[in-house]
Amino acid sequence: MENSSHEDGTKLELGWISEEQLQWFQTLMLPQAREALQQGEPLTAIGLSCDGTACGALVGYADTGCFHVVSLYVAPDYRRRGGASRMIRTLHPFLEHLGFEVEDDGERNIYAFTLEEVMHAKGLQRETGAAQTKTDKMRAFSQLSDDQLRAIQKRAVALEAPIPEQRLSDPEVERNLSLAWMVDGRAEAYVIFDHSCCGVLTLSALWTGDDAGAPVAYTLLKTALQRATELYPPQAGAHCKETS
């Protein structure tokens, strides 16, 4: 069990979830992950707790040279403390034991993929309720003024939401691909692409406020990636930087 303390004095604890502990963490997992663990399937499960209260869980499995994370969740009251990143980092020694090699990315948590690979991912092919989300509130950064972009950045900093270090009006930001979900003149969600990683197209930030939710995030991301395949060859490389 790994421990760390937050600035408010609360203590986060991290460890593997045993069969006996599953009852405390099962509400923090997607239904398919919870059911698979209850049926005894060979999944890896990591739990996050704070002062004895279960507050996060990661579930995944290794298959044909890849590790698939099927469920990752941290309760809202315990976010912005690095819990999700710590659960992912805890996997590294386990994966090395299985023969995986961890590439050194300078601790930037960067993952490379091609647009063709992304557009063939099951999550973007599957039609869900999120795909039915109306897009009338969606605006490309190229449609927003510099003052609006500054307002988005200022609010993101105040909310401690993931946001690139550079100004959103900088040329490095892909303003035609970066999208905001605007409600009453204020961004309630956004996805941001730039060229901050070695000049390669980079998904540098994805955020949704409490009023937007997962369907909006899905719609923004899918729309942005579809536009990316129009602007770049499907085989073009892209990077995704993990933000927390």
Side-chain angles (χ1 to χ4, degrees):
M1 184 72 71
E2 177 189 340
N3 302 328
S4 71
S5 296
H6 190 253
E7 58 186 14
D8 62 6
T10 57
K11 181 180 293 185
L12 291 176
E13 297 184 344
L14 194 68
W16 306 102
I17 299 175
S18 66
E19 184 178 351
E20 295 75 20
Q21 296 170 327
L22 180 57
Q23 59 179 321
W24 306 112
F25 291 93
Q26 60 184 359
T27 59
L28 302 170
M29 304 173 183
L30 290 174
Q32 59 266 35
R34 179 175 64 249
E35 293 169 4
L37 284 169
Q38 291 172 340
Q39 294 170 6
E41 295 188 19
L43 298 176
T44 298
I46 299 173
L48 184 72
S49 62
C50 181
D51 293 339
T53 300
C55 59
L58 180 154
V59 182
Y61 65 94
D63 179 48
T64 61
C66 294
F67 188 87
H68 305 266
V69 176
V70 297
S71 182
L72 175 61
Y73 180 79
V74 176
D77 291 343
Y78 301 91
R79 294 172 185 171
R80 307 298 174 199
R81 305 185 187 186
S85 296
R86 287 178 56 207
M87 285 191 286
I88 292 174
R89 287 198 299 271
T90 300
L91 287 171
H92 289 179
F94 170 73
L95 296 178
E96 288 177 345
H97 177 71
L98 294 178
F100 288 81
E101 295 182 2
V102 180
E103 296 184 359
D104 182 10
D105 62 6
E107 298 183 352
R108 292 178 295 176
N109 296 322
I110 296 174
Y111 306 88
F113 51 84
T114 67
L115 295 175
E116 185 176 41
E117 291 170 339
V118 172
M119 294 310 297
H120 281 83
K122 292 181 179 179
L124 288 173
Q125 288 181 328
R126 188 168 53 241
E127 291 297 326
T128 66
Q132 305 302 321
T133 300
K134 295 181 179 180
T135 60
D136 57 316
K137 297 178 181 178
M138 187 163 53
R139 298 287 183 274
F141 279 19
S142 58
Q143 297 174 297
L144 303 177
S145 67
D146 287 352
D147 286 341
Q148 287 176 307
L149 294 176
R150 281 192 290 269
I152 292 174
Q153 192 137 20
K154 183 176 180 180
R155 184 164 183 254
V157 172
L159 294 175
E160 297 184 349
I163 196 77
E165 295 181 0
Q166 73 269 26
R167 295 192 305 272
L168 298 184
S169 57
D170 282 359
E172 194 174 58
V173 174
E174 278 273 5
R175 295 179 67 166
N176 288 323
L177 296 182
S178 300
L179 304 171
W181 193 264
M182 304 296 294
V183 179
D184 296 329
R186 189 171 69 176
E188 296 295 341
Y190 54 71
V191 58
I192 302 174
F193 284 83
D194 58 26
H195 295 275
S196 58
C197 182
C198 307
V200 177
L201 181 65
T202 304
L203 197 171
S204 60
L206 173 63
W207 172 79
T208 56
D210 294 337
D211 294 334
V216 170
Y218 178 94
T219 300
L220 288 176
L221 184 57
K222 183 174 182 179
T223 302
L225 290 170
Q226 286 174 334
R227 292 186 180 185
T229 59
E230 296 172 0
L231 295 174
Y232 296 92
Q235 294 78 21
H239 284 165
C240 175
K241 295 197 292 188
E242 177 190 325
T243 56
S244 61

